[in-house]
Amino acid sequence: MKYGFFDELNKEYVITNPATPSPWANYLGSPAYGAIISNNATGYSFVKSGANGRLIRYRFNSYSNDQPGRYIYIKDLDTKEYWSNSWAPTVKDLSKFDSRCIHGTAYTIISSKYNNILGEALYYVPLNAEYEVWQFKIKNNNKDTKKLAITGFVEFTNEANYEQDQVNLQYSLFITSTKFYDNMIEETIRTGHDNPEKARFFGLAGAKVDKYCGNRETFIGNYRNYSNPIGVENDLCNDLNYNLNSCGALESFIELKAGEEKVLTYVLGQNKTSVAKEIIKKYEDSKTCEKELNELKNYWHSKLNNFQVYTPDERFNNMVNVWNSYNCFITFTWSRAASFQYCGLRNGFGYRDTVQDIQGIIHLAPEMAKDQIKFMLSAQVTNGAGLPLVKYTHKPGLENTPDDPEYVKETGHPSYRADDALWLFPTVYKYIAESGDLKFLDEEILYANNNEKGTVYDHLKRAITFSLNNLGNHGMPAGLHADWNDCLRLGKKGESTFVAFQLYYAYNIMTEYAELKNDKEYLSFLANEKAKLEAILDKCYDEDRFIRGYLENGTVIGAKKDPEANMWLNPQSWGVISGYAKGEKAIKAMDSVDRELNTPYGAMLMYKPYNKHYFDGALMITYNNCVKENAGIFSQPQGWLILAEAKLGRGNQAFKYWAEACPATYNDTAEKRMMEPYVYGQFVEGKDSPFAGRCHVHWLTGTASTVMVGTVEGILGIMPTTKGLIINPSIPSNWDKYSFVKNYRGKKLDVTVLNPNKKEHGVTSITINGKKISGLLITDEMLAKENTITIEM
């Protein structure tokens, strides 16, 4: 079933049927003030921390009955009938109630039409602001005058800490009170002393507040809910809260002549009373919202427009140009902090998650990427490992590590992970190659501990040293607490082929950097270590696949003969990505993936799922068959699969995997996938699940980044290097022509790719500004400020 459509021109997704199979969400704001909003106006807001700065309530795990939210109620004072501008919570008959939700880049617009009354609510957080705005336009399309009551409603938390608010009720129910000032409700929380900066406010501009309510119980009423609140049915009674639960409800009586429109603007935030009043006053001029919305659009669209592609496939264009890119920025910004599944309780950034997420925006905003790379380098320990969890309060040079009991107690992470710091190599390389900023290698950055500094080059060296100081019995990197797969505990001396391929990749990157620096001693060291690792990896190939690794006792994980889990996805794709697997060995391994792991919805992480033949460290046994790490279609590795096939020059295969993973593919069958058809999820249920194809855990997933890299670097073949730019596509053979525009190192590239011979791969000529070049490398010297490039396959 189709619930909406892509509007690529305006960079929006439009939901025309509000009865979506799950809440379809958007993100507003920044980490300073963040908000999540669904197509029915549900969601929550927070200041600085989803865990400790929660402002308004949201009840998780409610699915299609999610609640509460940012509700605007409309009541006809003559008939006494009322409804909400968003379809929920009042849920009117859709044959009579028209609803539309537009999710854009950091704004959402929800509009309605009922009884010839038109409502339109614009929700957004202004750039660099720490509050949110709801601009509500209401218009009377009837031929007679209408008298209406408009009520804006929000339910405050009693405590900024999410768990305290939801669980510790003997405390949190008795610390709040509300007050009313002219045009706003203010909630204060008494935590031993009142902090005026922490007061929450919900105010109105553009209309008089005729009645108000600050008490949730009297607003909703006994044995009622958000769909039929007594405060809307009977009008508000100017009640305030003292103990129990606070809310903000502001009611305005308005009269609309035929064809007349009025604008009411609600503002929600946290600040002292005097500041809140000044903020609200700003919105007495309704044009303020139009100006701020344009600023938001210009900010985000300027980022997205740094790369735009035009292919014969609309799904591809919509995802690459808008939604995959925006998904990358949201994941880059929010990590795994707050969504409708992540309840905001993470107290820091996961090292691997964050370093991987950076890759998805490098081609769009290299300067933003650089800042985050420096931050993550400052969370690298002097022994070369990454801090498994980087606290939001991170202080470079002064941190404890997993070697210190204090760190373990505070973060819950008892040891290092095998792969964390190795993700620095593709991320740093992609940044330097995109920007041309070779001097970055010599920039000094503090380590996380011991107040010690090192150049970026030194940081990368130490990441390799950490792997070499933690080898298993066969000479491959040890699995330690976990590699990428947190459900795979191979043991302290167990070994991971996935991490071994990452190390091989790191050797290739560092060889290039060592050559640039004329570091002959390190070049010799790298060549020796790479040769040793190649010999070890040669023994990890089992007929037509790479094994997953070894346990401490030497048991092989992922052997072809194993009755369960005898085929794993990541070693096959990373064998190719690393540069180790070539020729027949690479082709056979990737063909095994297609034959044994692929489904119509993507490739499973491994197969068969563990049921009887698992080992103690196979924690995925916790999950049902073909769910998450137990043979589910984990979405992040799909990007690596796309990239690996593209590197083999198999454009049709690469695009097939791209289409299977693509949310837009399922736009017209969204009832099966359930999740938003414009963003990636963490995993999809695999073929043995009775709900194969159902997707879970929206927005905040490394999938956005890996698929973006697989798409841009793999399928489109856009590969910046330290020496210049290579464009060598691996595309579906039925694309006879496509084009893209890209900003690259301060220069504009307008590129057309011609494929008259229906090839998957292989460039025959490149012409830059009318002049053919030799080979594939486009150097900076070949480029003008603006460039027309034609590539023929």
Side-chain angles (χ1 to χ4, degrees), residues 242-289:
Y242 187 83
N243 298 330
L244 303 184
N245 292 284
S246 299
C247 74
L250 303 174
E251 185 176 29
S252 300
F253 301 130
I254 65 171
E255 186 174 294
L256 290 176
K257 296 176 182 177
E260 185 180 6
E261 179 181 271
K262 289 189 176 179
V263 179
L264 298 80
T265 304
Y266 301 93
V267 186
L268 170 67
Q270 175 177 287
N271 219 312
K272 57 186 179 182
T273 308
S274 59
V275 174
K277 287 182 176 181
E278 286 300 312
I279 292 171
I280 296 166
K281 184 179 178 181
K282 177 180 175 182
Y283 294 92
E284 291 293 341
D285 182 355
S286 62
K287 292 181 180 178
T288 301
C289 293

Side-chain angles (χ1 to χ4, degrees), residues 106-151:
Y107 64 90
T108 287
I109 301 170
I110 299 175
S111 57
S112 65
K113 180 182 178 183
Y114 187 69
N115 292 342
N116 276 329
I117 301 295
L118 277 61
E120 181 185 279
L122 163 66
Y123 298 93
Y124 70 98
V125 175
L127 274 180
N128 304 315
E130 295 188 19
Y131 58 86
E132 67 187 81
V133 177
W134 320 349
Q135 186 190 54
F136 183 59
K137 298 177 182 177
I138 185 156
K139 184 177 182 179
N140 177 18
N141 265 12
N142 291 281
K143 294 181 180 179
D144 56 337
T145 298
K146 289 292 180 181
K147 294 179 180 178
L148 304 172
I150 311 299
T151 303

